[in-house]
Amino acid sequence: MRFAVLGRISVADGDERPVSIGSRVQRTLLAILLCNPNRPVTAQALNVAIWGVDSPRNTDGLRVHVHHLRKALGEGRLARRNGGYQLEVGPDELDAAVYRRLTEAAQQLLSNVDHLAARDMLRRALQAWRGPAFADLDSPGVVRAEAAILDEHRLGTLERCFGHELALGRHAEVCGEIRAVATVHPYREGIQGQLMLALYRGHRRVEALDVYTQTRRLLAEELGVDPSRQLRDLRERILRDDPDLAAPRDTAVLATARTRPGQVPAAPSDFTGRRGDLEQLDAIAQHGDVGVVALVGMPGVGKSALSARWAHLVRDRFPDGQLYINLRGYASVPAVRPIDAMAALLRGLGIAADHVPTDIDEAAGLYRTMLDGRRVLVLLDNAHSAEQVRPLLPGSPECLALVTSRDRLSGLVAHDGARRVIVDVLDGDESTALLRRVLGY
């Protein structure tokens, strides 16, 4: 189920079909509960929030609306807890929660000063917005307060995003976008400064200084204050053509590039045959609703070579990159623990080692957030069991996890919708061709 509050409040079921939430009271009730996901809200607090401080103390009317809302959302969603009601919301079901996780992930990327990856993460976060938070509700105080927090957070995210764009030398591309936001928020001095810098770098010095003049006049007339020291210093630097204001040359080239992991090892140079297996993998991947493929077979049959070969053949289908890890499921050394594998995958996505969570659930949430909306192939080689693999599976339907193992991985097939491909020994013609290639005949 999907809950949306970044714009008009809405609900969709697992098939993305809209769920009708009838009355204004039910929509307000839902909004209050979504301000407190997975936390109980007392009946008295709900009663006062919906009908005001002078509302009657009996909660019969509230129970009726709770009943209708529970019926619309389905059993198990709206539970009675501690004298109140609690709405159960999954980690990826509320757009505001997904938005916050993406912005937090972008902040972690700053430890590597990776402006491109952080910019991309913030852009994906901002795509969750469809308008002001809780836009269609004449909201009670608790919802108004949450909407104000979210809207302010969005403005801060825009400012951070513009900062990364400018650090990447993309002043020309984002100048119009910055101006639009600066016009709506004329008191936001940070964004006014970003507009001045974008204009100056675009050889529009007079316009940049005019932005400062207008901001100074507005602050003086409306608030009786002067611009901040940062804004005044920027004006002085523009006046003297400070060379440090120029777009950074070393990052400007990156503005048109896409950082993507490319970790899959090369397939053996003597790789031969497997046409049927490769075609089967193609057919599964093109089906569109399969997120996990398990390549299983006896030791030494060539599962790893086949997976690497196919991964390189389909690089263009996964424009956001390919992750790889050898889980050492049947090696002479201990198998890789899920938390260690997760840490390696997160580092491959740009998260610095000291920012990788030590809790597997928290790390998995960050991992899914990093992959959300991206098309990445994740090759999990030599897995020992479904339990070792399950935390490493992407949550994004655009991604594909390719797992190799001696185990049949029945748990992944039964519980995670994996498609199993059994890798057998080479047939006679393929074996002969491989032998000739190895021997040089």
Side-chain angles (χ1 to χ4, degrees):
M1 186 164 275
R2 301 286 183 182
F3 298 94
V5 300
L6 303 181
R8 291 175 57 85
I9 187 169
S10 64
V11 183
D13 64 16
D15 295 321
E16 302 298 331
R17 294 174 301 194
V19 174
S20 176
I21 308 298
S23 70
R24 180 197 65 81
V25 172
Q26 289 167 36
R27 293 175 67 80
T28 302
L29 172 62
L30 175 61
I32 298 168
L33 293 170
L34 285 173
C35 290
N36 301 274
N38 304 311
R39 297 194 302 271
V41 182
T42 66
Q44 181 180 357
L46 289 170
N47 211 40
V48 171
I50 294 171
W51 288 289
V53 293
D54 297 325
S55 62
R57 286 191 175 274
N58 83 71
T59 56
D60 290 343
L62 177 63
R63 291 194 189 98
V64 171
H65 291 291
V66 167
H67 169 76
H68 289 299
L69 182 59
R70 181 182 285 125
K71 186 176 180 181
L73 298 179
E75 290 300 322
R77 282 289 174 179
L78 185 50
R80 182 80 172 170
R81 293 280 189 278
N82 300 329
Y85 298 94
Q86 178 171 313
L87 182 63
E88 303 294 339
V89 180
D92 298 316
E93 292 185 331
L94 176 59
D95 61 353
V98 173
Y99 159 77
R100 286 187 181 278
R101 280 201 302 276
L102 286 167
T103 57
E104 290 167 3
Q107 185 64 37
Q108 291 177 335
L109 287 170
L110 289 182
S111 59
N112 286 341
V113 198
D114 191 343
H115 292 290
L116 183 62
R119 185 278 310 271
D120 288 351
M121 189 70 67
L122 292 176
R123 287 293 184 187
R124 294 216 307 275
L126 289 166
Q127 287 175 1
W129 286 80
R130 299 162 291 108
F134 299 95
D136 57 328
L137 288 178
D138 181 15
S139 306
V142 62
V143 179
R144 281 201 306 273
E146 181 68 12
I149 291 171
L150 286 168
D151 289 337
E152 176 64 22
H153 197 287
R154 175 179 178 270
L155 193 55
T157 299
L158 278 167
E159 191 169 342
R160 286 169 55 196
C161 185
F162 294 154
H164 293 305
E165 298 279 20
L166 292 171
L168 290 166
R170 300 190 73 250
H171 47 275
E173 291 84 350
V174 299
C175 186
E177 186 179 3
I178 298 175
R179 186 188 290 278
V181 177
T183 301
V184 177
H185 301 279
Y187 298 101
R188 192 87 178 195
E189 293 184 65
I191 292 179
Q192 301 300 327
Q194 290 174 329
L195 177 58
M196 290 170 62
L197 181 58
L199 290 167
Y200 175 75
R201 286 180 176 176
H203 308 291
R204 299 160 69 180
R205 186 167 177 263
V206 173
E207 291 180 62
L209 293 171
D210 187 52
V211 170
Y212 176 85
T213 300
Q214 293 179 28
T215 302
R216 183 186 62 183
R217 182 181 300 119
L218 178 68
L219 293 174
E221 293 176 354
E222 299 295 330
L223 303 178
V225 298
D226 293 325
S228 65
R229 174 165 293 279
Q230 290 84 352
L231 205 63
R232 298 199 305 270
D233 288 347
L234 177 59
R235 172 181 176 271
E236 294 301 321
R237 295 173 69 189
I238 289 174
L239 285 170
R240 66 174 186 266
D241 287 321
D242 187 338
D244 289 339
L245 293 181
R249 295 180 181 179
D250 56 338
T251 55
V253 176
L254 293 177
T256 57
R258 173 76 182 187
T259 300
R260 47 172 284 175
Q263 299 181 337
V264 175
S269 59
D270 56 2
F271 184 90
T272 302
R274 297 292 184 191
R275 177 176 298 177
D277 293 323
L278 293 170
E279 290 177 350
Q280 187 175 0
L281 287 171
D282 279 339
I284 293 172
Q286 290 172 358
H287 200 264
D289 61 350
V290 178
V292 186
V293 178
L295 285 179
V296 303
M298 67 180 68
V301 77
K303 303 180 294 295
S304 296
L306 171 61
S307 64
R309 174 66 172 173
W310 185 75
H312 286 290
L313 289 174
V314 297
R315 285 178 65 89
D316 291 345
R317 298 188 197 175
F318 299 95
D320 296 310
Q322 298 180 332
L323 294 168
Y324 170 86
I325 187 167
N326 182 354
L327 296 172
R328 301 197 303 262
Y330 293 90
S332 57
V333 295
V336 179
R337 298 184 306 157
I339 185 60
D340 295 329
M342 180 65 71
L345 294 172
L346 284 170
R347 290 195 299 271
L349 290 169
I351 299 296
D354 57 347
H355 282 82
V356 173
T358 56
D359 177 77
I360 185 60
D361 292 332
E362 185 180 349
L366 175 60
Y367 172 67
R368 291 191 296 268
T369 296
M370 294 288 291
L371 293 178
D372 184 60
R374 303 178 70 178
R375 296 177 61 189
V376 175
L377 175 67
V378 182
L379 176 48
L380 306 172
D381 196 17
N382 196 18
H384 183 269
S385 64
E387 289 70 25
Q388 184 190 27
V389 169
R390 187 166 288 117
L392 312 177
L393 301 179
S396 173
E398 291 85 5
C399 295
L400 177 68
L402 181 60
V403 188
T404 75
S405 180
R406 300 180 190 180
D407 188 82
R408 289 181 62 83
L409 299 177
S410 298
L412 289 186
V413 175
H415 300 292
D416 300 281
R419 288 285 298 274
R420 183 191 289 130
V421 175
I422 299 176
V423 183
D424 206 345
V425 297
L426 295 173
D427 62 29
D429 291 339
E430 291 177 336
S431 298
T432 301
L434 175 60
L435 187 59
R436 285 177 174 170
R437 174 172 291 188
V438 171
L439 296 177
Y441 290 104

